[in-house]
Amino acid sequence: MKRILYVTSEAVPFIKTGGLADVAGSLPKCFNKEEYDVRVILPKYMCMSEEWKSKMNYVTHFYMDLAWRSQYVGVLEMEYEGVQFYFIDNEYYFAGSKPYGNIYQDIEKFAFFSKAALSALPLIGFQPDIVHCHDWQTGLIPVLLKDKFHEGEFFKDMKSVITIHNLKFQGVWDVKTVRDITGLPAYYFTPDKLEAYGDANYLKGGIVYADAITTVSDTYAEEIKTPFYGEGLDGLMRARANSLRGIVNGIDYDVFNPETDPMIEHHYNVRNFRKEKIKNKRALQRELGLEQNDSTFMVGIVSRLTDQKGFDLIAHMMDEICQNDIQVVVLGTGEEKYENMFRHFAWKYQGKVSANIFYSEALSHKVYASCDAFLMPSLFEPCGLSQLMSLRYGTVPIVRETGGLKDTVVPYNEYEGTGTGFSFANYNAHEMYFTLQYAMNTFYNKKREWNKLIDRGMAADFSWNSSARKYQELYDWL
Ligand code: ADP
Ligand code: GLC
């Protein structure tokens, strides 16, 4: 039996700000239970819903040194869908209305979490063979495993894996403060270890010290070795290329299932979507105050509203897009300029554009189930889950060919009758617009072809099956 510990700053259903939570919450239950004991540890944030907090059981508590102080570490646990979850409790660090806040606070918060997660293991009696870390928040763990923790018998042979979900966020702060917080000796703060461009860099530490590195698609694994996508660490990614591999994300096929999803009004499947899916579109048009029209091409966007997702291309073309017979439904929060941009267009094109500037799991499912197409013209995209959800719900993705979008959406070829979506190569507003028009023309003028695109998309398999096997191979190899 192999024992694996996932250390993550978010996981569904407990807390989510983006795709990392979907992955860390749904992947652990997809391993063969006879062979792999996979458990998950994450912070117990005060902003988690009472529903979950009330179900957690106290395990133990202890005090741990950090930043010259002795800090309380509580450990709680809960089993969910057959997976053991542990929660690290500290009301000072994990207060606040969101998991992440100012970077200078987060730097200390996740040093605390990383050290506490390891320190708790002997007390809860779980000795993993492999600690699987996710993103910069847990980047210190491979470093700690090679440092202090290495001395004790308990941690001596523990291996670590780090998965990069987004290279853009690295956890960067000045060396002196990070040394004070972590207590790590000066030895680690050189450019071949934790230091990058004069500062301390958590993710870099994780990448340097982990026994294996993965990222969430093959294309992104290649892209991050180049300066454009490398976020200043492309040299390191090239240096560690032998230990780096891409494993594409899946989604939870039980949660995202148009036949059973309790969050959508009308259920459907690959056989009856032609008649049934439209009922969701009608319901959404009614709910959002859009013009009631079955035949209008409806495009959805569910996203963090950031530059990463290509919103400057959309901002540039929005007026032109709205000259067409089209409806645009947006669900997202993020940068104020994009929130206001969509509010503006919703005001300007009433009945055509719906701007929902908030977070709602339920509305997101309705958008995936109701729209004809889904727009995701990302500047970069390590994997992307929204396009997978769209494919699952028979909503045709329109994407830029980068990262996981390139690996999961097969471009429509009208001559061969193949493909599951529409895509374009260059980060260019007009290229995006022409691709959107091409999709729209196919929708309006070649309905049979359009429906076959949906057939193929819904038949594609983006459950965790094959990717979980690849993680198993990696664990076995380690
Ligand atoms: P990223 O992790 O970069 O944000 P992904 O496509 O991997 O992008 O995952 C985004 C996840 O967050 C998806 O599950 C998507 O449905 C969800 N999501 C994003 N914004 C919202 C929102 N405003 N309301 C509900 N779900 C959202
Ligand atoms: C990150 C990436 C996204 C990916 C997700 C889960 O948030 O931006 O592309 O799907 O992590 O791996």
Side-chain angles (χ1 to χ4, degrees):
M1 181 74 104
K2 282 208 178 56
R3 294 175 301 258
I4 322 280
L5 178 72
Y6 277 50
V7 192
T8 177
S9 56
E10 43 182 289
V12 291
F14 308 106
I15 186 86
K16 166 168 165 179
T17 74
L20 167 60
D22 291 302
V23 173
S26 63
L27 173 58
K29 67 177 173 194
C30 300
F31 294 99
N32 177 356
K33 293 225 160 34
E34 324 260 85
E35 282 179 70
Y36 301 87
D37 181 358
V38 183
R39 307 188 187 184
V40 184
I41 191 162
L42 68 156
K44 176 186 178 237
Y45 299 104
M46 292 223 301
C47 60
M48 283 174 168
S49 80
E50 274 314 314
E51 184 202 344
W52 296 120
K53 283 193 283 191
S54 65
K55 289 183 182 144
M56 297 172 188
N57 308 308
Y58 170 87
V59 181
T60 185
H61 77 270
F62 58 95
Y63 287 84
M64 179 187 87
D65 288 340
L66 191 94
W68 308 106
R69 286 191 300 269
S70 177
Q71 307 280 5
Y72 172 87
V73 184
V75 185
L76 295 93
E77 56 109 38
M78 178 182 157
E79 194 183 307
Y80 182 76
E81 295 189 341
V83 175
Q84 183 69 38
F85 285 86
Y86 297 104
F87 303 87
I88 296 289
D89 183 25
N90 178 299
E91 296 198 346
Y92 165 71
Y93 285 118
F94 303 131
S97 58
K98 290 179 299 188
Y100 315 123
N102 293 316
I103 182 68
Y104 65 89
Q105 290 167 327
D106 290 353
I107 281 285
E108 186 170 325
K109 182 191 298 180
F110 290 107
F112 168 79
F113 172 60
S114 297
K115 197 170 171 189
L118 291 180
S119 304
L121 294 175
L123 292 161
I124 57 184
F126 184 62
Q127 186 179 31
D129 301 299
I130 295 166
V131 182
H132 191 151
C133 310
H134 298 268
D135 274 354
W136 77 264
Q137 290 87 347
T138 54
L140 283 179
I141 286 180
V143 185
L144 294 172
L145 278 176
K146 291 282 173 343
D147 187 59
K148 279 241 159 41
F149 286 87
H150 191 67
E151 290 158 16
E153 265 305 306
F154 190 87
F155 293 97
K156 206 164 58 50
D157 300 320
M158 243 174 242
K159 297 273 195 283
S160 61
V161 178
I162 189 160
T163 295
I164 302 167
H165 296 264
N166 196 332
L167 194 58
K168 176 125 191 142
F169 305 106
Q170 301 178 358
V172 176
W173 203 244
D174 72 89
V175 170
K176 185 176 174 304
T177 310
V178 171
R179 277 201 58 190
D180 277 352
I181 292 171
T182 59
L184 286 167
Y187 166 82
Y188 288 100
F189 296 88
T190 55
D192 57 332
K193 305 191 190 76
L194 245 80
E195 189 204 300
Y197 308 101
D199 283 320
N201 184 314
Y202 283 20
L203 183 65
K204 185 176 179 194
I207 295 169
V208 169
Y209 281 99
D211 296 293
I213 307 151
T214 74
T215 186
V216 288
S217 68
D218 278 324
T219 295
Y220 195 59
E222 291 308 313
E223 286 173 339
I224 55 180
K225 292 176 206 154
T226 67
F228 184 82
Y229 294 98
E231 306 287 349
L233 298 183
D234 47 297
L236 174 63
M237 302 318 311
R238 288 194 296 277
R240 292 233 57 196
N242 285 337
S243 306
L244 165 70
R245 60 182 296 192
I247 302 179
V248 75
N249 286 333
I251 54 172
D252 189 327
Y253 264 33
D254 299 330
V255 174
F256 296 95
N257 181 353
E259 273 196 288
T260 56
D261 187 341
M263 294 188 216
I264 67 174
E265 278 180 41
H266 303 280
H267 293 140
Y268 57 94
N269 56 35
V270 68
R271 290 175 302 283
N272 65 14
F273 74 83
R274 288 172 178 76
K275 273 176 60 190
E276 299 300 318
K277 188 176 188 310
I278 189 91
K279 295 179 183 168
N280 289 304
K281 183 171 171 178
R282 284 180 201 138
L284 192 66
Q285 286 174 334
R286 214 175 308 119
E287 179 178 340
L288 301 180
L290 294 165
E291 281 158 26
Q292 291 281 309
N293 191 338
D294 281 2
S295 63
T296 305
F297 184 58
M298 186 194 262
V299 181
I301 294 172
V302 178
S303 184
R304 292 183 293 118
L305 303 178
T306 67
D307 290 333
Q308 173 190 340
K309 304 290 177 177
F311 284 108
D312 53 342
L313 300 188
I314 296 174
H316 200 74
M317 300 311 298
M318 202 54 191
D319 266 315
E320 251 133 308
I321 291 172
C322 291
Q323 304 313 310
N324 297 281
D325 187 8
I326 196 170
Q327 291 181 342
V328 181
V329 177
V330 180
L331 171 63
T333 58
E335 283 171 40
E336 219 173 292
K337 62 177 176 184
Y338 295 131
E339 294 188 343
N340 290 334
M341 183 264 288
F342 283 118
R343 288 192 183 107
H344 166 77
F345 284 109
W347 163 82
K348 188 168 175 187
Y349 297 102
Q350 264 172 44
K352 277 189 120 165
V353 178
S354 168
N356 305 280
I357 309 302
F358 48 81
Y359 186 92
S360 163
E361 207 69 44
L363 185 56
S364 75
H365 285 232
K366 289 181 194 172
V367 173
Y368 294 125
S370 307
C371 290
D372 299 298
F374 189 86
L375 183 59
M376 201 166 169
S378 303
L379 173 61
F380 69 94
E381 197 61 75
C383 179
L385 300 174
S386 296
Q387 82 282 11
L388 304 181
M389 294 162 186
S390 300
L391 287 166
R392 175 81 166 144
Y393 282 81
T395 298
V396 178
I398 302 170
V399 304
R400 190 172 92 83
E401 290 155 17
T402 183
L405 297 173
K406 186 173 177 186
D407 294 350
T408 57
V409 177
V410 183
Y412 174 52
N413 181 324
E414 63 182 52
Y415 306 103
E416 290 172 9
T418 54
T420 56
F422 293 81
S423 64
F424 60 100
N426 296 304
Y427 193 72
N428 174 298
H430 285 94
E431 223 174 282
M432 175 194 73
Y433 185 55
F434 294 142
T435 309
L436 178 70
Q437 279 185 318
Y438 180 31
M440 199 158 34
N441 286 335
T442 311
F443 173 84
Y444 280 123
N445 305 321
K446 294 184 179 168
K447 210 25 134 318
R448 279 178 62 101
E449 287 299 307
W450 183 266
N451 283 332
K452 285 191 208 155
L453 267 157
I454 299 177
D455 273 329
R456 292 189 291 268
M458 288 184 84
D461 182 7
F462 290 105
S463 68
W464 274 112
N465 285 342
S466 72
S467 293
R469 235 173 302 144
K470 289 188 182 147
Y471 280 110
Q472 288 182 12
E473 281 165 25
L474 176 69
Y475 300 149
D476 293 348
W477 174 78
L478 277 173

